[in-house]
Amino acid sequence: MGAGMGLSDEIMGALMPIVVYWVYAGMYMALGSSCDKYRLHSKEEDEKNLVSKGTVVKGVLLQQFLQVSVSLPLFLAKGRNDGGASAGHPSSIFVIAKQVVIAMVVLDTYQYFLHRFIFHNKFLYKYIHAQHHRLVAPYAFGAIYSHPLEAFLGDTVGGCLAYVVSGMSPRTSIFFFSFATVKTVDDHCGILYPGNPFHIFFRNNTVYHDIHHQLHGGKYNYAQPFFATWDRILGTHMPYSLEKREDGGFEARPLKVGKDV
């Protein structure tokens, strides 16, 4: 696939998730006011964000630069070790499916425990994780906005770990990390668009993660980016109700508050 575009699978694996990020986030931004009746936050709530959109864009671009700086050498090294096996002898659909499932489990597990740790550590939260929570009302292109150290430890290291442990090829990684990117953007978009398959097939979705960004939901719903499994197992799952606002859109309300976990 990459060869047809003049790019190797390794380069595509590093760059495609970035392209997908801005295209998918851009689609949500282009919808503009046409989605107001599906929004989780009113425009007044959007003004509570503690960081400008220009700063968010710069932060996201920095994180993506870090991702490419680490992932591209890793992909190239694995490609050399495989001797181009993924291109000459592509894996069966069953092998690829197994690798994707393993990668999802590894990434979910790593990010859950890292996310929970840095949230509960007062020093790490104050100086690192709080940067992401400056987005009180999350939006699509701010999905991966965070402190560079958290971005590196969470997304870059977590992604590389999932890639190595699963044994997937650079070609498979193009699809896996592009899918993970779309899921992450969707989780932060703040829009309950009808028929969205992520809201149908995933419990860990836009509303679920929005609860985590709320004042009373911070110590709950750590799970990301795919499943809510670890939250349910370890008691950090917060149920919620979804109610229509009189001025249009929806409001997600946590059903239990005040308990530290």
Side-chain angles (χ1 to χ4, degrees):
M1 181 181 71
M5 299 177 63
L7 298 174
S8 67
D9 289 342
E10 291 80 5
I11 294 176
M12 290 284 287
L15 297 182
M16 186 57 72
I18 296 176
V19 175
V20 168
Y21 182 94
W22 291 108
V23 169
Y24 193 66
M27 289 170 57
Y28 271 116
M29 300 308 295
L31 291 173
S33 59
S34 65
C35 281
D36 283 353
K37 60 182 177 181
Y38 305 120
R39 292 187 183 278
L40 288 175
H41 297 277
S42 65
K43 292 184 177 180
E44 289 75 19
E45 289 177 307
D46 288 344
E47 294 175 357
K48 294 180 181 179
N49 285 334
L50 304 175
V51 59
S52 70
K53 291 183 177 179
T55 300
V56 169
V57 170
K58 293 176 183 177
V60 170
L61 289 174
L62 174 59
Q63 176 169 346
Q64 291 173 333
F65 172 78
L66 292 173
Q67 289 175 344
V68 172
S69 298
V70 174
S71 63
L72 183 55
L74 177 63
F75 290 159
L76 291 172
K78 190 174 188 300
R80 286 195 297 270
N81 291 336
D82 292 346
S86 65
H89 303 282
S91 301
S92 71
I93 188 65
F94 300 104
V95 171
I96 292 174
K98 181 185 74 172
Q99 292 170 339
V100 168
V101 170
I102 291 173
M104 293 173 81
V105 171
V106 170
L107 190 57
D108 262 23
T109 301
Y110 177 84
Q111 292 207 348
Y112 173 86
F113 286 101
L114 177 67
H115 192 186
R116 183 171 176 175
F117 175 71
I118 63 177
F119 197 98
H120 280 267
N121 184 292
K122 293 182 179 179
F123 177 85
L124 294 178
Y125 180 82
K126 180 178 180 180
Y127 294 104
I128 296 179
H129 191 55
Q131 181 167 326
H132 180 66
H133 281 266
R134 294 173 72 187
L135 289 177
V136 181
Y139 48 80
F141 70 80
I144 62 171
Y145 172 72
S146 59
H147 189 282
L149 180 58
E150 180 180 0
F152 176 76
L153 292 176
D155 295 330
T156 305
V157 174
C160 289
L161 187 64
Y163 173 72
V164 172
V165 173
S166 68
M168 68 173 57
S169 67
R171 179 167 296 182
T172 301
S173 78
I174 297 172
F175 300 98
F176 174 73
F177 288 116
S178 293
F179 175 72
T181 296
V182 170
K183 177 68 169 58
T184 299
V185 170
D186 208 88
D187 287 348
H188 290 81
C189 71
I191 298 174
L192 283 177
Y193 204 77
N196 186 328
F198 289 115
H199 303 158
I200 297 173
F201 296 107
F202 288 90
R203 296 290 184 182
N204 183 358
N205 52 36
T206 304
V207 186
Y208 189 87
H209 192 67
D210 187 81
I211 293 294
H212 176 72
H213 276 261
Q214 294 182 17
L215 178 63
H216 296 297
K219 293 184 177 181
Y220 296 88
N221 295 11
Y222 297 106
Q224 54 185 34
F226 299 112
F227 308 112
T229 307
W230 284 113
D231 276 323
R232 292 183 176 276
I233 291 174
L234 298 178
T236 54
H237 168 72
M238 177 178 281
Y240 55 83
S241 64
L242 191 62
E243 303 174 11
K244 285 190 174 183
R245 293 198 308 266
E246 292 183 2
D247 58 346
F250 299 92
E251 180 178 359
R253 295 184 177 180
L255 295 182
K256 59 180 179 179
V257 298
K259 179 182 177 182
D260 289 348
V261 292

